[in-house]
Amino acid sequence: MDVEMAVFHCSDNFLQQIMVSKLSQCQYAVPLLVPNPFSGQIEFPLWTIRQISKSWKTTDTSGRVTSKTLPMYKAQTPMVAFFRIGSISSSKSQLMNRLINEKHDTFFHRDCPGSSRERLLMDGVVEIAWYLPSGKSTDHFSDCVAFCNLHGDSSINETQRKILTEMSSVNVVLLPQLDENDNNMVIVKELCEGSTPLIVVLTDEEDDSEDAVSEIGEGKYRVSLKGRNQSDVSVALREVIKNCLSEQPVTFSVEKIAEHSEIKVDEDNEDCQRGKKSAQEIMRLLKRENPSTVKEKYLPCQGKLWHDWCQKNKELRRLKSDNLELEKSRKEAEMKEIRIKQQNHGFSELMGLVVESLDLLSESGKMYFLKWLAILLDDFSSDKLSVLLKEYHQKWSEVLALRKKHDKLEDEKTKTSFKNTLHKQTYDFSKKMHPEHDKIDQLKTEQLNLERISNKLNSATFGLEHMLREMGQIYEASVSEKRGTKRKRNVDYTDLPNLAAELMISGHPMELMDGDAAHVPLVWVSAVLDKVIRKLGDQRVFVLSVLGIQSSGKSTMLNAMFGLQFAVSAGRCTRGAFMQLVKVSEKMKEELKFDYILVVDTEGLRALELAGKDTIHHDNELATFVLGLGNMTLINIFGENPSEIQDILQIVVQAFMRMKKVRLNPSCVFVHQNVTDVAAGEKMMEGRRRLQDRLDEMTRLAAKDEVCDAECFSDIIAFNVQKDVKYFSQLWEGSPPMAPPNPRYSENIQELKRDIVSRASKTNCMKLSQFQQRVKDLWEALLNENFVFSFRNTLEISVYRKLEEEYEKWTWSLRSAMLSIEDKMLNRISSGKLEAMGKQELMREMSETLQKVRTSFKEYFEEDSEKETLIQWKIRFEKQIQHVHDDLVDEAKRKLDENIKQKNIRKNLDKQLKNHENTLFEKSKEFALKLKVDRSKNRDPIVEFDSVWGKWVSELTTDVPKIKDVNILEDVCNILGEFYEYDLVVGQKKSAGYKMICTAGDYLNYVSLKKNKFLKVFSVIENIPFMGKALKPEDQIAIRELISKVIHQTTEKVKLFPVSVQGYSSGYIQELARDVKQLVQELKPRHDSFEFKKEFYVDLSLYVCDQAEKRFKELHRKYKEANDPLLYFERKKAEYVKVFENYWKGATSAAVLGDQICVKLKETILQSVYNMIAKFICDQMRGKPPFNGNRGDLEKHFLKTLAEQEGDKEEKFKNFLTYMYLPRAYFEMFIKRKVKEHMAARNPQAVSAIKEHFDYKQRIVISAAKMARDEVMDIGGDVNTWLDIFSNSLVDELGDTSVHLGDGVTEDVTDYDILLDFIQKELPSVVAELKGSFCKLSDLKEEMFREKPEEILIKHFCRCCWTKCPFCGAVCTNSQEDHTGDHHVDFHRSSGIIGRKYRGTTEFVTEFCTTLVASEKSFYPNDSDWLVPYKQYRTAGEHIAKWCISSDFSEMAYWKWFVCEFQENLENHYQLTFSGNGEIPSEWTKFTQADAVASLGIN
């Protein structure tokens, strides 16, 4: 006891309160008066007793039993005071224990295990305990009685004795014997003279009387213990006390002790008084209020308004009207209206006071305030609640009895039916069933009555959780209407989550699911968790949840295990779900790998006030929610009732099956409480076997409902019946209310806790942000009828998107490396150093980068915090990276082979050109020397040179065949004219209608409809006969898809034509025309309903050829420039002018050679800069939006760009059509535009990179020149050797740097230092000139790029999925081309945007596919005559089954704005109307362009 008092003295008021509450729960006495060991002052820990509440049953003289539940600080009870005078041989505490409870040591005494006679801190301490009757004949007392025990000698502890004797109903004093000479007899005389009954117990004096108790005066008794049976004494003493209490019914209240001036009350501290004052201010408001109407008056936002909002939110997911979007808009408007009403209510006066107190009080003051508020609110509603609880318990018992009879009747019916089936007899149940039917009706009636009482109880139950709920609703209302900063009573609505977060962090349970509305206030819960994350950091949490039947001790178990504060009360249990944070100690963190345990407590399953389907649906919903949240769930089974066990197992198994189907993997432990014989090993083995059998049976049954392939429970969850089932002893040892807790129960709790902690240490725990998202995902899915179908694992999606971003970086590393390798190899080819390129060589060059990528890939998958989620995609992405690498190698090889082929084709030409260059050099030199001799004529040398240049070139190129210009348009008309009709081709070309073939709204003019013998057409909404000629929307979409396919395939083919190597050929046009014809003919219209006209073939061919013509022209121009000698020498003329000038001015051969080298280097250095800057620009653009995210992020930027277009509305609409019909083409256009914008913008980094690159190339050139000089001097070579060494060392960096000079020059140059000096002097000026020409990126010339930045980016980013949603045409946003798994898109569209209409009408379909999949509507797949419900869309065919379309009830502002903005354009384009079932909801028109862009969520 000294240890207990030492801890008590070292604790603050709150810990003292917890200690005292726990002692009282365990039926131990608690401190009432405590001497301070330092000051000696007597302290009264009233605060610690405030939370003790007890229940008992009193029996009056007539035998009527009345239940009572009261906080013990205010309970008016008789009090029996025990104290001793002097030193006695018997234990006073032991005597008291025998009076109160023979089987339990309520008061600790000298003979208890671990006790000793010496006392340090216990002397002078007064303890109190209460005897609580159970209303049975075995009760020792008929009413609650307080027993006070003063430890130590009362003659010394005078103040305590005086207080007790003043307030007691009976005084019991123990002394060794009555001795006249003893000074302490004065005390006994005083007590004898008083009016309070006195019992003097003599421990060492024998009494000759036969009776254990003898009366020594009126109300005065004497008891001798020596030589007597202690049990007999206890019985006699108890009788005397009972008689005294009945004759003198003096009552005492703990609270009144505070009135004594000699003592110090623990509540007399500043924070406690402030908290009390704030709580009392609130209670003054409620003083004359009826507890049943308080919530309605002061918490208006959470009552009917919130319940109506929840109902409409659920209805929103179950739309059934003809125009879903209209109904959806109506529901959303109604929900907004409710939110506005809530907001108009705002803070009631009561809520204002509560929030103000939470906001202004100190941390300690806040804790006191909350405790005081709970105490005072309990006091306020206790009388009303006790009446209702009594009524509830009575009705509950009746319903339980009727339920048992009903279950028994059902069993009998089953057995009788089974017997009759066996005997092939028919049996008329109606004769026997009338009474049973009456019983069933009675059960339903009583369940309704129970629900009515439950509703009354709900209204009268009023606590802190309701105030927090009101805060949540006020916050949600303010956020939903975007008036988040409205103030009332100086309170900022946006700060409410902060207050709730502080409470949660300090250990208060936070409501996760509102049990009254059976709804999760998502916005509020998310906001509170956001604030918790902001305050604590995004900590890792192990989520432990609990599930079980109502009143099965779930909350008690959690409270005992973690010292939590979940509400525990008989009958009225937890409603909904609450969460509470338990901090892990620093020492344990290292071992456990998480920072907090987040415990989720739930309401009981099978609540009796809910009946039939409501119960089943509610229980399944709750079980699915709780199992999905938890890393581990404790399944709590109470007692051994088979039907109750069966019910909970059925619910649990079904919930686990859902978890398996949505790839969540929680674990579970079954806790079987209140088991009679835990020690019997064999019995437990049998129990485990039975449980396993039941679970397997439930699994097989649930597998049919959930359409899942599972034969036993371990098929759906990792489960070991030996380890995952725990048996718990009964909580109480004996019958309440006086029964103490069973020590074995505590041991079971500790064992379970150790097991949980052990498992938790091996579990991959969630971060708080992930838990927050999981709550949202689970609840959003549960709101929809089909959980498995609707569940979107946002965490998984988020992890996948981050992986896509990493994947883009890895693939760019490969592409970037390959671009560098290509540059190097192309340089070698141009220098003639590479005549064949093997695939293996390229792979060797790439090996280092590939290895780096693989290492980075491995580290990401092994070290990322989400590695457990990532693992499922590892093999797929590993293969994809290898695939990208292999494709890059193949593409590079093809490009290099093409260049080698081109080089080989040009070999003769290059040889000729080299000879011609030597000739031209010699001619220039000779002509210059000739003019130099003849200077007297004073002629302009450049004019003279120009006069002979043309003659030289024409002489040299006489025998070379000229490359003609081409007329591609003429070829197109002639070739298509051969395929079709020439006049038709020319006519279609002239009309230019072919240019609109991709974005046409209707393709009816391109087809001939066939007449079917029987044409069955049904409307989706009603049977409407099909009239008039029109293409079905499905056919329109099929034609559009065909056009897109043809354009893509022919574009790819055009890229493969070797135009740059062999020049343009009309055969290319023939191939394209043939491909178009073949691809179109491959399309088989459904039901053979139409055939294409020639106009379609012609227009599509014209469009394809028109696109190809641009590429052919550019490549043919490059081919001509590279292969036409006339053009070649025209470009080289400036070089020969320079040679001529140098010789004319008298330059040496070394100077001329140096100058020629610098001219050549200028050309190659410039080209290397273009190669470098292309990659640099791509790197820059990849590092910032829109190219620095994943494919989904890029899609958002497309939409933003489209929404923010300026100019003509028709032009804007056309761009939208291009985006919708030809997404790849739009993607390419977007990239080109972004590159253009990037090049036009100020870019000092790029300019700096260009200049640094020039300097770098200058350094390596000079280094190469020095090396060449040194090597030539070592080996004694000539200038040709020098040139070879010099140009060979620069091949990889600059390509072909060789110069072609006459023999005379090479003979003249012998001093290599002069040559080196000239290069060192001239090259900087060449580089400076080049630098000067690049002040900004826009100075770059497009034709100079070997591969343009936009071409590189298009190749890099367009390797993604281009599959379109079968319902709305939105493009899959997966970054991999041939990805496994489902197609997915962030923003689905209104189906009418791609021309979908209701069958047999001209009315647009306005519904979004994300709304349709949650509705009762059906569709005709592939224009068939069989209907498929949208909810089962995956059964409609393979191409549809590969799409994941989740229901989405967000605003979808973007496409709603688009429909309203371009309504007229859409109607004209498709010749359809937004009317009838396709009417646009008025709510859509409220969205602005800004709303549309904001809805994309671009950061």
Side-chain angles (χ1 to χ4, degrees), residues 1169-1180:
V1169 163
Y1170 272 90
N1171 297 344
M1172 177 279 298
I1173 203 65
K1175 209 164 70 163
F1176 185 88
I1177 289 166
C1178 292
D1179 266 327
Q1180 270 194 326

Side-chain angles (χ1 to χ4, degrees), residues 444 515 549 682 756 759 957 967 982 1019 1130 1144 1168 1176 1245:
K444 287 178 181 174
I549 298 287
E682 287 178 15
I756 289 168
R759 291 168 190 238
T957 57
N967 188 336
Y982 184 79
S1019 166
E1130 200 54 47
W1144 187 76
S1168 82
F1176 185 88
Q1245 294 95 338

Side-chain angles (χ1 to χ4, degrees), residues 701-835:
L701 287 170
K704 291 176 186 173
D705 290 346
E706 294 286 337
V707 195
C708 181
D709 184 24
E711 284 297 315
C712 58
F713 188 56
S714 53
D715 286 345
I716 58 173
I717 183 174
F719 179 73
N720 182 328
V721 77
Q722 299 301 325
K723 293 179 182 176
D724 300 336
V725 181
K726 310 290 178 190
Y727 287 97
F728 269 37
S729 301
Q730 293 173 332
L731 171 59
W732 303 112
E733 229 178 15
S735 301
M738 286 304 290
N742 185 346
R744 184 71 190 123
Y745 179 84
S746 301
E747 288 165 21
N748 295 147
I749 288 280
Q750 275 305 107
E751 286 164 17
L752 177 60
K753 186 176 179 180
R754 274 194 294 272
D755 189 43
I756 289 168
V757 169
S758 168
R759 291 168 190 238
S761 65
K762 299 164 194 158
T763 303
N764 174 43
C765 298
M766 286 185 271
K767 288 181 181 173
L768 274 168
S769 58
Q770 293 167 345
F771 172 77
Q772 176 189 30
Q773 193 57 58
R774 178 68 59 80
V775 170
K776 185 175 186 291
D777 292 345
L778 286 164
W779 184 242
E780 289 286 1
L782 280 167
L783 280 175
N784 299 307
E785 285 179 304
N786 188 335
F787 171 81
V788 174
F789 172 75
S790 307
F791 181 76
R792 283 182 81 226
N793 191 332
T794 309
L795 168 61
E796 211 169 78
I797 292 167
S798 163
V799 172
Y800 187 82
R801 285 185 179 163
K802 281 183 190 167
L803 174 58
E804 283 191 314
E805 287 173 25
E806 290 301 315
Y807 171 76
E808 189 275 330
K809 290 173 190 170
W810 293 322
T811 54
W812 176 253
S813 298
L814 294 173
R815 184 172 293 279
S816 179
M818 186 54 88
L819 286 169
S820 299
I821 292 164
E822 277 180 15
D823 283 345
K824 184 166 73 174
M825 296 303 168
L826 288 168
N827 284 341
R828 289 179 186 178
I829 292 166
S830 69
S831 307
K833 303 296 179 190
L834 186 67
E835 294 185 346

Side-chain angles (χ1 to χ4, degrees), residues 474 1096 1378:
I474 292 167
F1096 180 75
D1378 300 310

Side-chain angles (χ1 to χ4, degrees), residues 1051-1170:
T1051 303
E1052 290 304 305
K1053 186 154 193 173
V1054 165
K1055 289 176 185 175
L1056 298 174
F1057 288 140
V1059 185
S1060 58
V1061 178
Q1062 299 171 5
Y1064 162 77
S1065 160
S1066 60
Y1068 300 153
I1069 300 295
Q1070 276 184 320
E1071 273 196 60
L1072 291 176
R1074 197 162 38 244
D1075 285 356
V1076 170
K1077 192 169 189 176
Q1078 189 178 334
L1079 288 166
V1080 173
Q1081 285 171 347
E1082 281 172 7
L1083 178 76
K1084 301 290 180 201
R1086 298 177 188 93
H1087 313 308
D1088 199 25
S1089 54
F1090 67 87
E1091 60 184 11
F1092 288 109
K1093 294 178 181 176
K1094 282 182 184 176
E1095 283 82 354
F1096 180 75
Y1097 287 95
V1098 171
D1099 276 8
L1100 187 52
S1101 301
L1102 284 169
Y1103 185 89
V1104 165
C1105 295
D1106 198 39
Q1107 297 298 306
E1109 185 211 13
K1110 296 162 191 169
R1111 183 176 174 86
F1112 289 159
K1113 266 186 176 176
E1114 187 183 348
L1115 290 177
H1116 188 75
R1117 178 185 58 77
K1118 286 184 177 179
Y1119 168 76
K1120 189 175 178 181
E1121 283 174 2
N1123 293 278
D1124 189 323
L1126 284 171
L1127 291 173
Y1128 178 79
F1129 287 126
E1130 200 54 47
R1131 286 202 312 277
K1132 301 286 273 184
K1133 181 180 175 183
E1135 289 179 33
Y1136 293 102
V1137 168
K1138 197 88 185 281
V1139 169
F1140 166 78
E1141 274 187 316
N1142 283 335
Y1143 277 113
W1144 187 76
K1145 289 174 182 174
T1148 63
S1149 290
V1152 172
L1153 177 57
D1155 190 58
Q1156 284 296 94
I1157 289 169
C1158 287
V1159 168
K1160 184 69 178 177
L1161 285 170
K1162 182 180 180 181
E1163 181 188 316
T1164 55
I1165 289 172
L1166 183 61
Q1167 187 59 58
S1168 82
V1169 163
Y1170 272 90

Side-chain angles (χ1 to χ4, degrees), residues 234-291:
S234 299
V235 171
L237 193 57
R238 203 181 287 136
E239 283 302 316
V240 172
I241 293 170
K242 276 168 79 174
N243 291 333
C244 292
L245 293 177
S246 62
E247 288 169 14
Q248 191 169 351
V250 175
T251 56
F252 130 100
S253 159
V254 171
E255 202 172 23
K256 288 195 175 169
I257 296 175
E259 293 170 7
H260 288 82
S261 58
E262 308 94 314
I263 60 171
K264 181 186 176 187
V265 183
D266 61 351
E267 291 178 355
D268 290 340
N269 73 68
E270 197 176 335
D271 281 340
C272 183
Q273 289 305 311
R274 278 185 184 162
K276 185 177 183 180
K277 188 182 174 187
S278 296
Q280 284 174 334
E281 198 177 333
I282 288 164
M283 296 317 294
R284 271 195 287 277
L285 265 183
L286 307 178
K287 200 171 183 181
R288 293 186 182 83
E289 300 289 350
N290 180 346

Side-chain angles (χ1 to χ4, degrees), residues 1324-1385:
S1325 61
V1326 169
V1327 167
E1329 184 192 337
L1330 286 172
K1331 280 183 184 177
S1333 64
F1334 290 108
C1335 299
K1336 52 190 183 298
L1337 274 188
S1338 54
D1339 292 334
L1340 293 167
K1341 293 174 183 172
E1342 203 175 294
E1343 65 272 11
M1344 282 293 290
F1345 285 109
R1346 190 178 274 168
E1347 193 166 14
K1348 296 172 190 171
E1350 60 264 36
E1351 289 170 347
I1352 296 169
L1353 289 173
I1354 285 167
K1355 279 181 187 174
H1356 180 62
F1357 284 110
C1358 285
R1359 285 183 64 101
C1360 53
C1361 186
W1362 295 102
T1363 309
K1364 290 182 182 178
C1365 171
F1367 299 114
C1368 72
V1371 177
C1372 172
T1373 53
N1374 198 298
S1375 56
Q1376 295 178 12
E1377 204 162 13
D1378 300 310
H1379 63 92
T1380 55
D1382 289 336
H1383 297 298
H1384 176 267
V1385 64

Side-chain angles (χ1 to χ4, degrees), residues 1229-1444:
M1229 280 164 48
F1230 179 84
I1231 289 173
K1232 286 173 185 172
R1233 185 164 60 249
K1234 286 293 172 187
V1235 170
K1236 195 174 178 182
E1237 287 170 11
H1238 187 83
M1239 302 278 276
R1242 190 172 167 275
N1243 195 336
Q1245 294 95 338
V1247 172
S1248 175
I1250 289 171
K1251 292 183 176 176
E1252 281 173 23
H1253 192 75
F1254 278 130
D1255 291 338
Y1256 165 69
K1257 294 297 177 184
Q1258 181 180 317
R1259 287 195 299 276
I1260 62 164
V1261 166
I1262 290 167
S1263 173
K1266 287 176 180 175
M1267 185 186 74
R1269 177 199 64 187
D1270 296 343
E1271 276 194 43
V1272 167
M1273 291 175 80
D1274 285 346
I1275 61 173
D1278 63 2
V1279 73
N1280 285 322
T1281 311
W1282 186 94
L1283 282 169
D1284 285 344
I1285 294 167
F1286 174 72
S1287 57
N1288 286 345
S1289 65
L1290 292 173
V1291 166
D1292 286 353
E1293 291 285 348
L1294 294 172
D1296 184 11
T1297 54
S1298 57
V1299 290
H1300 307 304
L1301 305 172
D1303 295 336
V1305 176
T1306 53
E1307 287 167 11
D1308 292 348
V1309 179
T1310 54
D1311 191 335
Y1312 305 112
D1313 282 321
I1314 293 173
L1315 182 57
L1316 177 62
D1317 288 344
F1318 185 87
I1319 291 171
Q1320 282 181 316
K1321 181 185 169 187
E1322 281 298 311
L1323 188 60
S1325 61
V1326 169
V1327 167
E1329 184 192 337
L1330 286 172
K1331 280 183 184 177
S1333 64
F1334 290 108
C1335 299
K1336 52 190 183 298
L1337 274 188
S1338 54
D1339 292 334
L1340 293 167
K1341 293 174 183 172
E1342 203 175 294
E1343 65 272 11
M1344 282 293 290
F1345 285 109
R1346 190 178 274 168
E1347 193 166 14
K1348 296 172 190 171
E1350 60 264 36
E1351 289 170 347
I1352 296 169
L1353 289 173
I1354 285 167
K1355 279 181 187 174
H1356 180 62
F1357 284 110
C1358 285
R1359 285 183 64 101
C1360 53
C1361 186
W1362 295 102
T1363 309
K1364 290 182 182 178
C1365 171
F1367 299 114
C1368 72
V1371 177
C1372 172
T1373 53
N1374 198 298
S1375 56
Q1376 295 178 12
E1377 204 162 13
D1378 300 310
H1379 63 92
T1380 55
D1382 289 336
H1383 297 298
H1384 176 267
V1385 64
D1386 287 341
F1387 298 99
H1388 284 274
R1389 311 165 184 167
S1390 170
S1391 301
I1393 287 170
I1394 57 167
R1396 286 202 178 276
K1397 59 172 185 167
Y1398 288 98
R1399 261 189 168 190
T1401 74
T1402 56
E1403 296 164 6
F1404 276 110
V1405 174
T1406 49
E1407 283 95 346
F1408 286 73
C1409 41
T1410 46
T1411 308
L1412 286 164
V1413 294
S1415 74
E1416 299 299 322
K1417 281 196 171 186
S1418 300
F1419 67 100
Y1420 296 91
N1422 304 325
D1423 194 32
S1424 63
D1425 289 333
W1426 54 286
L1427 276 168
V1428 174
Y1430 274 104
K1431 285 182 178 178
Q1432 297 166 25
Y1433 73 86
R1434 285 186 191 256
T1435 63
E1438 196 180 344
H1439 70 295
I1440 298 180
K1442 287 180 181 175
W1443 272 88
C1444 172

